[in-house]
Amino acid sequence: GAVVSQHPSRVICKSGTSVKIECRSLDFQATTMFWYRQFPKQSLMLMATSNEGSKATYEQGVEKDKFLINHASLTLSTLTVTSAHPEDSSFYICSAANSGTGGYTFGSGTRLTVV
Amino acid sequence: GQQVMQIPQYQHVQEGEDFTTYCNSSTTLSNIQWYKQRPGGHPVFLIQLVKSGEVKKQKRLTFQFGEAKKNSSLHITATQTTDVGTYFCAQGAQKLVFGQGTRLTINP
């Protein structure tokens, strides 16, 4: 079945630095990927839709200059958290549609801690 | 996207008891999906419902989509400790929007 690989699984960074998170579709091509953020004990909030070969579409309230998304190939999307601050600490998860099941396949997530 | 309201927020049961979570929308949904997220894990797709009044079963799990396609439920019969986690409904055609989730804990 469709597998989405995400890494790193955990990252601790200093305030002011940037962190890149990668999401790869391993056995299928994903022209579109989705990036979510999840705070403890809360639901998943859609941040942006990553489109292969074109600009990402950001949800209202998400700063595009802070959360840079690149989808340069059909199997790779990256999210870069720029100038990270402690309030950016969260669980970031990517997903892609699974044409076989009709559902979405999620990466294993990246737990970002900014100190 | 359309917002779906999910209740209850939390549910604690004794092992062997049944469990139900509900999702409601003020507008008609094209489809609804259900996901399970184990503690510390990522959401895993369970099922998609598309048809009005649809009922699907996966072992002890029963999923329903309302006749008006505005509500859905997930029912677990005779819960087991492996059922622990947060269950989310989600909907959307172009992008997936999640309900608030129901966190299920089980007393063995």
Side-chain angles (χ1 to χ4, degrees), chain A residues 34 36 38 41-44 46 49 59 91 93 101-104 106-108, chain B residues 10 33 35 37 40-43 45 48 88 93-96 98-100 103:
Chain A
F34 303 88
Y36 292 82
Q38 185 178 36
K41 297 185 178 181
Q42 293 189 21
S43 185
L44 289 85
L46 180 64
T49 302
E59 295 300 301
F91 190 51
I93 321 175
T101 66
Y104 287 71
F106 283 79
S108 54
Chain B
Y10 302 98
Q33 300 181 14
Y35 292 79
Q37 184 177 24
H42 60 278
F45 174 72
Q48 175 173 256
F88 292 97
Q94 303 302 322
K95 56 186 181 183
L96 203 58
F98 282 77
Q100 297 90 337
R103 183 181 298 270

